Amino acid sequence: MASIFYKWLIVFALTGLSSSYHPIFVSVTEIEHKAASKTLEITCKIFTDDFEKTLRKQYKTKIDLLDNKLTAAMNPLVNDYIKKHFSVIADGKLCVLNYLGFEQQEEGIVSYYEVKNIAVLKNVEVLNSILYEYSGQQMGIIHVTVNGQRKSNKLNNPDQKVSFFF
């Protein structure tokens, strides 16, 4: 996941750009199949400032994803937003995303999900429109790992669907 997202963060630090401005609008999603536990582990990383602005506009309430005192109030909003804009179809079946929480990592918010009872995985479809309403330049980078084999793709707004075959 460190690939493109972290490279941009390094560019920001070296050029002295403010964290409130960045020249790229991207979310990075990692999906990893864990055969031993029969689960999919999913993380979605989104720039904090863009995510907060989008949540404020959508839910018309105070949003502060960095204030630990507000985490309990922010959890339902983060979960609801992601589930409205992101879904996974495994071997033709829509997955139920179990929300585990979120945390701040560097300039981003990472939300965590788990999908249970996925013993074998051959085909993964991802529907992603995270922050598409925020910026026409938004892109989503999707990484899927199954049996140690990692495949990646990039969705540019307005494209929302990508499939991976293993």
Side-chain angles (χ1 to χ4, degrees):
M1 179 154 44
S3 59
I4 294 174
F5 188 78
Y6 292 120
K7 289 177 186 174
W8 276 105
L9 292 176
I10 291 169
V11 169
F12 302 150
L14 293 176
T15 60
L17 291 174
S18 162
S19 65
S20 64
Y21 172 77
H22 48 88
I24 189 167
F25 300 93
V26 65
S27 66
V28 179
T29 302
E30 293 272 353
I31 302 171
E32 186 171 358
H33 181 244
K34 300 286 188 171
S37 59
K38 299 178 184 177
T39 60
L40 289 179
E41 294 180 357
I42 301 169
T43 61
C44 296
K45 188 164 189 174
I46 305 166
F47 278 111
T48 303
D49 57 337
D50 298 345
F51 197 22
E52 286 183 332
K53 289 174 188 173
T54 300
L55 292 175
R56 276 186 203 106
K57 187 173 182 180
Q58 176 130 9
Y59 297 104
K60 311 272 189 257
T61 190
K62 178 183 176 184
I63 301 293
D64 188 343
L65 298 174
L66 304 179
D67 185 346
N68 291 332
K69 295 173 190 166
L70 297 177
T71 299
M74 297 297 105
N75 269 318
L77 303 178
V78 169
N79 183 32
D80 183 65
Y81 180 85
I82 297 294
K83 285 185 176 178
K84 285 180 178 175
H85 296 275
F86 178 82
S87 59
V88 177
I89 300 167
D91 293 329
K93 297 178 185 174
L94 182 64
C95 295
V96 175
L97 301 176
N98 299 311
Y99 179 67
L100 303 174
F102 77 90
E103 68 178 345
Q104 178 191 12
Q105 284 186 4
E106 297 174 4
E107 296 294 321
I109 296 297
V110 181
S111 57
Y112 299 93
Y113 293 86
E114 180 181 68
V115 177
K116 296 182 179 186
N117 300 318
I118 307 285
V120 178
L121 191 58
K122 295 180 182 178
N123 177 21
V124 178
E125 286 182 58
V126 176
L127 302 167
N128 178 20
S129 62
I130 294 172
L131 298 188
Y132 277 19
E133 71 275 33
Y134 179 72
S135 172
Q137 298 174 15
Q138 184 71 31
M139 70 178 97
I141 303 205
I142 315 290
H143 303 292
V144 180
T145 304
V146 176
N147 295 324
Q149 183 181 10
R150 182 176 181 178
K151 295 186 178 186
S152 301
N153 207 320
K154 178 179 75 162
L155 291 171
N156 291 312
N157 190 351
D159 298 330
Q160 298 182 24
K161 183 177 178 181
V162 63
S163 296
F164 300 90
F165 299 93
F166 295 91

